[in-house]
Amino acid sequence: MQGIEEHSANDQYMRIKTELHKTILEEIDLDNLDRVNRETALRETRGLIQKTLKREDTPLSFSEREKLVDEILHELFGLGPLEPLLDDPSISDILVNGHGMVYVERHGILEKTTVRFNDDDHLKRIIDRIVSRVGRRVDESSPMVDARLQDGSRVNAIIPPLSLVGPVLSIRRFGVDPLKAQDLLDNGTMTAQMMQVLQAVVEGRLNVLISGGTGAGKTTLLNVLSASIPSSERIITIEDAAELQLKQDHVVRLETRPPNIEGKGSIKQRQLVVNALRMRPDRIIVGEVRSEEAMDMLQAMNTGHEGSLTTIHANTPRDALSRLETMVSMAGLNLPDKAIRQQIASAMDVVVQISRLSDGTRKLTHISEITGMEGPVVTMQDLFVFKRQGFDENRKVKGSFTSTGVQPKFSEKLFAAGIELPPDTFLSEDYWPEIG
């Protein structure tokens, strides 16, 4: 009986909200609001909503009235039911599976929320609002889209007929204040020695490939490492959906473009990489290599653009090189496998593997150096590894970061660049005995 009463009360609340929303839209001058700043528009609209509630003598409690005012403001100026989730800094992912099911990820763990949209049309309007802000569109002719929010968060939307559960929206959060090197150290993602090596590698203009699975933190790590690039250098970033937040002044950001409604006019990452070479870059940063642009990226690294960085989806450093080889072959140049591997061995210096563990924590599991070729095989050596040691009583992963004791070949490059690491940096010992 209680469930029926709650359902009836919820229906009444939604009915009042819908009617009030229509009334506000009839009375408000949207064109005039566009001419004033956001704070003024919010203040004037809030006053109008409260005045309307009093005039209509709406049968709601004070807390319900305040909640209703906030929800209508979110509908008018924000992203509707998603606004409270976007205001929560502990949420890293928002996953909307149709209008009636919304999940979030907190601290690496997925959980279901009570957030709901009115119907699929309501969800579709919110998706349209997101993608239109960055010049994208989503409709039956183009039912998949990548976009971003104002804070840099990555958005993917897919709608029927491709989705069978209604519109689906995935938001990968990217905070206004991205994590810094100290945050990764405090979180136990890596040790101070590992961070020191990576910062030296970037400052010394070595080419770095960051590898990891979905949600492992590749872009976060790329942002952290890019902070070591001297501010005197010209940096060009290339991304599908721009989300990198570099702090240097001399940064040129490029973003791909999808095809228009006639299916023409698309600009892919490969074209942007080629164009970037004509823009006198000191560094090229590709947000993620996914296809044939890998070939142009390698050629850039091999022709004087040292210190470039990029990310790739892979589970191990060796898998990352295999995927890179596959992507280069997609360029259609019909190069023999050995020639492709020689390009990779010559271009890449360091592979950094980051992983999201089963307890939701992120760990830098490998820092590996590419040392060259032995026959047809690209050779690598691990410099640092994270060794897992089971779970504690709270099912948190236990483990230790260990240096393998191998002195990297790139030490000579760093020395030539005037960068010297402490002599004990690569000694074989556990730097962080227990983490979890």
Side-chain angles (χ1 to χ4, degrees), residues 57 74 105 150 228 246:
D57 195 22
H74 290 158
E105 181 187 286
Q150 289 180 332
S228 299
L246 275 64

Side-chain angles (χ1 to χ4, degrees), residues 262-309:
E262 290 87 18
K264 300 177 181 178
S266 68
I267 303 295
K268 297 183 178 180
Q269 279 199 134
R270 185 176 189 185
Q271 294 167 274
L272 293 180
V273 172
V274 172
N275 190 80
L277 298 176
R278 303 171 183 143
M279 298 171 67
R280 198 259 174 224
D282 288 308
R283 309 255 187 163
I284 297 175
I285 299 178
V286 178
E288 182 182 335
V289 286
R290 293 187 176 93
S291 189
E292 68 269 13
E293 69 271 4
M295 183 65 207
D296 301 282
M297 184 73 190
L298 291 179
Q299 288 183 332
M301 292 175 175
N302 278 324
T303 55
H305 297 90
E306 295 94 350
S308 297
L309 298 94

